Amino acid sequence: MDTTGTITSFSSTPMTRFSIGGDVYGVQDASTSYSLTNPDSQTLRFEVQQGDHAWYDDSSVDRSEVSGATNIPGSTPIALNYQFMVEPNGPNGSFVNTASGWFIVGQMHNDDNASGVGTSPPFAIQLVGDHLQVVARYVQPGQDPSNGAGNVQMLTLWTDPNPIQTGVYNNIQIQADVSNTGGGYLKVSINGTQVVNYSGPLGYGQATNWEYGVYRSTAPETVAVDYRNMILLTGAAATSTQPTTPTQPTTPNVAPTVTQVSASPGTGTEHVGDVVTLTLGLSEAVTVNGTPTLSLNDGASATYVGGSGTNTLTFRTTVASTDTNTSALAITGVSLANGASITDSGGLAANLSGAVKTFSGLQISNTPIMPTQPTTPTVTQPVLSVADSSLWVAGRGGQVDLGTTLSTTDSNDKVSLNIKGLPKYETITTGDGTTFRGGDITLSSAQVASGLTLTSYYKGNAHPVATLTLTASATDPVTGAVASATPQTITVTDPRPSATSGSTTNQDHGLHHHLQWGSSTLAATVPQTTSLANYDTATGSQASHSFALLNQYLAGSSGRVDGGQIAAAISNGAAWMQNAFLTKPHH
């Protein structure tokens, strides 16, 4: 039993493995130089930028994780102890997280090979915005644990009311027994304070493995997290361990890095005399000495103008006739000539390799721009087309195409579509996978063009009808003038579901491809099957049908008996209308 959490045989290459505290882990990342690093023998650093994902993910996911290669059988005590830190990526050392689906930094992952379906983690440590949260999930024994089956129960056990502090380590202790047949529990302590003490069903009745790093629905901001002293114990060793005294938060000795690079203007053609402002965002506040410069691919350079003492540095360049024409301005490097420096509060030099970037669409021309006569901008009313103004969709995850299109004759206008009246049990998803909720949403013309799918999660027994009001608008980019088309409506009816359930729907993390060695295998996607009820047509004598018809009619009638209706139904013999009457509920 290794309780040191020491990292050996480190590798950052996807589908390779190394050891942490004697336990084998596999690498699941985008194979970039920054995805997974090993600052020291106790620490792993994970970083994702938008579009970074493992070999088995699609573009809706950003991932850099390590995954335990050995599955832990259900009903086995588990103990985890480690320190966790998020690095600043926002203004004034803050942490920014705009991931709209999920942002998991530690999870007990289900053995999806054994389940035969993709699942969400039985329990996870995650971030909602900049707040830590602990969630748990389970199904009753024998139930399908896939999210689409509607059996998974999700419990939000704790959400930190305070934003997470960047740049400091948090001591995290977890004790768990992943069992949904009795004896399941989850206990979590943060910096010596117990925040979760749950006893009850946990998981899906299968083995699990520990995974950690960054796994989120794709988002634009770069994020980095650090883990150190990772210790995993199971069985008797897990139950005999006593909570340790939490370590005091310490400031890690990590060099500042460039996390964001931007240009203003960001697109268009800049001519002689025009000024371009370039901004570097760093992972922490830095001190600038001297005059650093940014080397540019047009032969010029951008000179530092301000930002020392913050995490945002500003540089400027003025286009000159001696500059080289270029179709895409690029920063090719950072020059620290004549003793210039960029360091953190401890004097550690910043890593400026992330400053290199090409700005597609920002052109440089070494000729002066000729003035043109101003024109009066106009705005044109857009055209909204609705294929069908009356739709129906089955609840519990049913989907329907909204069938809407936008068009305009003025290519300069910014066209959008506003949708009001979307009920809380329905969502609208664009073709790029972005999901919208709420009674008042606005979509860009590109999102509408990608296709709009309405999904219903209605679970009741009524026939709710929602009226969506759609208004297309065009905005002139110069004057801000707005022209709107006549609003149109779409009514959406949710038919009565064929079955009821009290389960909750969770975000679908998909079938997780889990690196395994030894007794483990790679998970494969298993299609989910929707069972259709078989309806048998009963046969029998005329007397039997008539007797059953009369009983059901009298039992369901709360008013006067309509003898004519009964006689008419009986006169049809064993026809389908009689069967329909027998099976029609009377309220």
Side-chain angles (χ1 to χ4, degrees):
M1 178 178 66
D2 187 339
T3 59
T4 64
T6 301
I7 300 165
T8 57
S9 304
F10 173 76
S11 171
S12 62
T13 304
M15 294 187 283
T16 60
R17 60 181 179 174
F18 59 92
S19 176
I20 306 172
D23 297 314
V24 176
Y25 288 79
V27 179
Q28 303 178 354
D29 63 22
S31 191
T32 69
S33 60
Y34 55 79
S35 294
L36 176 61
T37 55
N38 180 209
D40 58 57
S41 63
Q42 300 298 121
T43 306
L44 291 178
R45 181 181 185 272
F46 302 83
E47 180 178 327
V48 295
Q49 299 180 15
Q50 187 166 37
D52 291 347
H53 52 76
W55 67 96
Y56 53 82
D57 291 320
D58 59 29
S59 59
S60 66
V61 168
D62 299 331
R63 186 195 303 270
S64 177
E65 285 188 308
V66 292
S67 174
T70 302
N71 281 327
I72 302 168
S75 301
T76 300
I78 300 167
L80 284 157
N81 293 282
Y82 61 95
Q83 287 84 51
F84 163 74
M85 177 189 72
V86 297
E87 297 182 11
N89 65 342
N92 302 317
S94 63
F95 178 73
V96 175
N97 167 29
T98 63
S100 60
W102 65 90
F103 190 120
I104 296 176
V105 292
Q107 60 172 300
M108 214 67 201
H109 191 272
N110 184 63
D111 181 0
D112 289 343
N113 284 331
S115 294
V117 293
T119 63
S120 296
F123 73 79
I125 311 296
Q126 59 190 33
L127 284 160
V128 179
D130 58 356
H131 295 260
L132 268 179
Q133 186 178 78
V134 180
V135 298
R137 299 178 179 87
Y138 69 90
V139 296
Q140 295 299 328
Q143 289 185 330
D144 181 350
S146 63
N147 292 325
N151 298 319
V152 178
Q153 303 294 320
M154 176 176 167
L155 307 173
T156 300
L157 301 177
W158 174 74
T159 302
D160 193 345
N162 302 308
I164 192 168
Q165 186 177 357
T166 59
V168 297
Y169 279 100
N170 296 279
N171 195 71
I172 298 181
Q173 297 169 293
I174 302 172
Q175 291 181 312
D177 189 330
V178 182
S179 172
N180 67 344
T181 58
Y185 63 84
L186 177 62
K187 301 177 181 180
V188 181
S189 295
I190 309 290
N191 296 326
T193 300
Q194 187 174 55
V195 296
V196 172
N197 186 10
Y198 167 75
S199 295
L202 188 63
Y204 313 130
Q206 305 295 343
T208 56
N209 69 289
W210 174 242
E211 297 184 9
Y212 65 99
V214 177
Y215 172 45
R216 69 176 183 180
S217 53
T218 190
E221 63 274 359
T222 297
V223 296
V225 300
D226 300 73
Y227 293 79
R228 68 182 184 188
N229 303 326
M230 178 63 67
I231 299 171
L232 170 63
L233 302 174
T234 60
T239 58
S240 62
T241 56
Q242 296 297 321
T244 58
T245 302
T247 58
Q248 292 298 318
T250 58
T251 301
N253 187 26
V254 178
T257 58
V258 177
T259 58
Q260 293 178 327
V261 184
S262 61
S264 179
T267 59
T269 301
E270 301 308 302
H271 298 267
V272 173
D274 291 337
V275 175
V276 178
T277 301
L278 302 170
T279 303
L280 303 184
L282 291 100
S283 59
E284 60 181 289
V286 294
T287 300
V288 178
N289 290 307
T291 308
T293 59
L294 303 178
S295 302
L296 307 175
N297 64 340
D298 66 350
S301 61
T303 303
Y304 167 74
V305 294
S308 182
T310 72
N311 66 337
T312 303
L313 304 183
T314 303
F315 298 77
R316 288 201 184 103
T317 183
T318 301
V319 180
S321 59
T322 55
D323 293 351
T324 302
N325 291 332
T326 178
S327 60
L329 182 66
I331 300 173
T332 59
V334 181
S335 174
L336 299 176
N338 302 317
S341 65
I342 302 175
T343 60
D344 65 8
S345 58
L348 192 61
N351 180 352
L352 302 172
S353 60
V356 176
K357 181 173 181 178
T358 299
F359 303 98
S360 300
L362 179 55
Q363 303 181 46
I364 298 297
S365 172
N366 58 15
T367 59
I369 189 171
M370 299 301 294
T372 59
Q373 293 298 319
T375 58
T376 302
T378 59
V379 61
T380 303
Q381 186 181 85
V383 176
L384 169 64
S385 299
V386 175
D388 191 343
S389 62
S390 180
L391 302 174
W392 71 268
V393 59
R396 306 178 185 278
Q399 295 182 331
V400 65
D401 189 338
L402 280 183
T404 57
T405 60
L406 283 178
S407 61
T408 180
T409 58
D410 190 340
S411 60
N412 293 320
D413 288 346
K414 180 180 178 181
V415 180
S416 62
L417 176 64
N418 177 261
I419 301 178
K420 288 184 170 65
L422 185 69
K424 64 181 181 181
Y425 55 80
E426 292 177 352
T427 63
I428 291 176
T429 303
T430 61
D432 62 2
T434 304
T435 298
F436 294 84
R437 298 174 175 83
D440 189 345
I441 61 177
T442 299
L443 306 170
S444 67
S445 57
Q447 289 173 319
V448 175
S450 71
L452 303 180
T453 300
L454 184 142
T455 303
S456 173
Y457 298 98
Y458 179 69
K459 298 180 180 179
N461 294 317
H463 293 272
V465 178
T467 299
L468 309 184
T469 301
L470 290 72
T471 305
S473 299
T475 303
D476 186 276
V478 177
T479 65
V482 177
S484 297
T486 302
Q488 299 188 46
T489 60
I490 298 176
T491 59
V492 181
T493 302
D494 283 69
R496 187 187 308 276
S498 61
T500 60
S501 172
S503 61
T504 53
T505 300
N506 302 288
Q507 75 268 17
D508 188 356
H509 295 290
L511 180 55
H512 189 82
H513 291 242
H514 167 213
L515 280 181
Q516 303 179 5
W517 297 269
S519 62
S520 304
T521 59
L522 185 65
T525 302
V526 178
Q528 300 182 16
T529 303
T530 301
S531 296
L532 298 176
N534 294 318
Y535 294 92
D536 297 328
T537 303
T539 61
S541 66
Q542 174 68 32
S544 298
H545 279 278
S546 301
F547 184 77
L549 174 63
L550 180 58
N551 278 334
Q552 183 169 335
Y553 183 88
L554 293 175
S557 176
S558 59
R560 67 180 182 85
V561 176
D562 189 341
Q565 183 177 358
I566 296 175
I570 293 175
S571 68
N572 287 328
W576 65 269
M577 289 184 65
Q578 185 179 8
N579 287 335
F581 185 84
L582 282 169
T583 57
K584 179 179 179 182
H586 299 276
H587 301 290

